[in-house]
Amino acid sequence: MLHLRMIVPPDRTSAAVRLIESTVGTTHLVVLPGAARDPSGDLVLCDVAREAGDELLGGLRGLRIDQDGSIAVDTIGLSLSARAEAAEEEAPGEPADAVIWEQLAGATHEESTLSITYSAFMILATMIAACGVVLDNAILIVGAMAVGPEFGPLAGICTAVVQRAPKLAARSLFALVVGFAAAIAATTVFSLGMDALDLFSRSQLEADRPNTRFIWQPDPFSFVVALLAGVAGTLSLTSAKSGALVGVAISVTTVPAGANAAVALSYGDLSQTWGSIEQLGLNLFGIMLAGTLTLYGQKLLWRTQRGRWRREPRSEGHG
């Protein structure tokens, strides 16, 4: 269930209430006239089944409540209410299958902005991965994958393509490109410093490295894994199962490929540098392709389910 808290201009409160009452899956409607001060208006509260949330939010935005008032949405962790259970049963589909597009856009907006924190995580993750590739240490590679924040901009690009949001696409692409460029540049300098301290060496980079040589040797499995990871990562975002993102992060060779490119570049090994860049590009493209197709598939599936449900007679007793 989702909890909506709205500040509604008084001249649109009746329309908002009618919309809420006519939306299947809503309950616990509360209207407090004149309770809001900034902006001034009526305070309207309600709970809605996740499956009906996107439709209700679209209707509320159609009333321009988001422009002249406010709409806040929270996920309810626990609701002890027979009426809430009935509302969820009345709503079409399953909660895990529903996509709240406004919520997804908001989440990807925050995660796809080039910030100091985002850049710091990207640089630190790449430096950790650099230690992993030189030492041929798989544990460090996995740790770097988990630290890397690159899935946020990737999800932002996928969302922007499906929602036709060019500003989100540009911001996400900028964060992705600049983030990796800064991380590779910083890690190249880091590698030179580690070499000066005799902690890195060219012989370590050019050794057999059975645990990490896959990083700069892309093959068809690299693309297949990227596709699967893109589907899993997108599903984890749209179904609010964020725990799955950790598994996605440690299954694709993005940050480690950038790290290997940086270390190889510091030693002038253009073969490994180019191979790593190919691996990086292959993984990024695979994730974006799979993520975009997954979102399109979810959108089509949910539209089909909703259309089928609307053609069926509704159960009595909603209100």
Side-chain angles (χ1 to χ4, degrees), residues 136-296:
D136 195 34
N137 189 314
I139 295 177
L140 290 176
I141 294 296
V142 170
M145 290 174 172
V147 172
E150 73 278 9
F151 193 81
L154 290 169
I157 293 172
C158 298
T159 303
V161 171
V162 176
Q163 293 293 87
R164 299 178 182 178
K167 289 184 179 180
L168 177 59
R171 183 173 54 250
S172 301
L173 184 61
F174 181 76
L176 190 69
V177 173
V178 174
F180 268 108
I184 291 174
T187 304
T188 301
V189 175
F190 171 75
S191 177
L192 291 171
M194 294 291 280
D195 180 75
L197 295 172
D198 291 328
L199 296 175
F200 283 7
S201 68
R202 189 184 188 99
S203 61
Q204 288 176 299
L205 177 70
E206 296 179 348
D208 188 36
R209 289 196 290 148
N211 293 321
T212 57
R213 64 169 173 256
F214 69 93
I215 292 172
W216 62 279
Q217 296 176 344
D219 57 30
F221 280 104
S222 300
F223 188 64
V224 170
V225 172
L227 290 174
L228 297 176
V231 173
T234 303
L235 290 176
S236 72
L237 284 178
T238 58
S239 63
K241 298 184 182 297
S242 58
L245 280 177
V246 177
V248 173
I250 62 176
S251 63
V252 291
T253 313
T254 51
V255 167
N260 200 85
V263 176
L265 184 62
S266 71
Y267 287 112
D269 189 334
L270 298 183
S271 175
Q272 282 204 40
T273 300
W274 180 245
S276 301
I277 295 298
E278 284 185 334
Q279 179 76 274
L280 175 61
L282 192 64
N283 277 266
L284 293 178
F285 175 71
I287 292 172
M288 287 189 288
L289 175 63
T292 301
L293 293 177
T294 299
L295 288 177
Y296 270 122

Side-chain angles (χ1 to χ4, degrees), residues 4-317:
L4 273 62
R5 183 181 72 254
M6 294 155 280
I7 296 178
V8 183
D11 62 326
R12 272 163 274 179
T13 300
S14 296
V17 169
R18 285 196 299 270
L19 175 63
I20 293 170
E21 290 179 334
S22 65
T23 302
V24 173
T26 59
T27 186
H28 302 157
L29 175 61
V30 177
V31 180
L32 302 175
R37 292 292 180 266
D38 185 20
S40 61
D42 301 332
L43 181 63
V44 180
L45 311 172
C46 74
D47 295 341
V48 60
R50 182 179 174 85
E51 307 92 296
D54 189 64
E55 181 178 4
L56 178 57
L57 287 172
L60 293 170
R61 294 196 68 182
L63 296 174
R64 294 182 59 82
I65 293 175
D66 59 319
Q67 299 294 323
D68 304 320
S70 75
I71 305 172
V73 183
D74 294 317
T75 299
I76 300 175
L78 175 64
S79 179
L80 302 178
S81 167
R83 184 64 194 94
E85 293 179 1
E88 287 190 318
E89 292 178 359
E90 292 171 1
E94 295 295 329
D97 296 333
V99 179
I100 310 299
W101 291 100
E102 298 295 339
Q103 190 178 54
L104 179 62
T108 52
H109 178 279
E110 180 179 352
E111 297 294 330
S112 62
T113 301
L114 184 65
S115 62
I116 294 176
T117 300
Y118 168 84
S119 301
F121 271 115
M122 183 68 78
I123 292 171
L124 291 171
T126 309
M127 288 180 176
I128 293 171
C131 296
V133 298
V134 171
L135 298 175
D136 195 34
N137 189 314
I139 295 177
L140 290 176
I141 294 296
V142 170
M145 290 174 172
V147 172
E150 73 278 9
F151 193 81
L154 290 169
I157 293 172
C158 298
T159 303
V161 171
V162 176
Q163 293 293 87
R164 299 178 182 178
K167 289 184 179 180
L168 177 59
R171 183 173 54 250
S172 301
L173 184 61
F174 181 76
L176 190 69
V177 173
V178 174
F180 268 108
I184 291 174
T187 304
T188 301
V189 175
F190 171 75
S191 177
L192 291 171
M194 294 291 280
D195 180 75
L197 295 172
D198 291 328
L199 296 175
F200 283 7
S201 68
R202 189 184 188 99
S203 61
Q204 288 176 299
L205 177 70
E206 296 179 348
D208 188 36
R209 289 196 290 148
N211 293 321
T212 57
R213 64 169 173 256
F214 69 93
I215 292 172
W216 62 279
Q217 296 176 344
D219 57 30
F221 280 104
S222 300
F223 188 64
V224 170
V225 172
L227 290 174
L228 297 176
V231 173
T234 303
L235 290 176
S236 72
L237 284 178
T238 58
S239 63
K241 298 184 182 297
S242 58
L245 280 177
V246 177
V248 173
I250 62 176
S251 63
V252 291
T253 313
T254 51
V255 167
N260 200 85
V263 176
L265 184 62
S266 71
Y267 287 112
D269 189 334
L270 298 183
S271 175
Q272 282 204 40
T273 300
W274 180 245
S276 301
I277 295 298
E278 284 185 334
Q279 179 76 274
L280 175 61
L282 192 64
N283 277 266
L284 293 178
F285 175 71
I287 292 172
M288 287 189 288
L289 175 63
T292 301
L293 293 177
T294 299
L295 288 177
Y296 270 122
Q298 287 181 290
K299 195 171 188 176
L300 178 61
L301 175 63
W302 192 250
R303 185 179 298 168
T304 302
Q305 288 182 340
R306 185 181 294 173
R308 185 186 304 118
W309 176 83
R310 283 176 175 170
R311 290 192 294 270
E312 295 175 353
R314 299 188 183 184
S315 60
E316 300 295 332

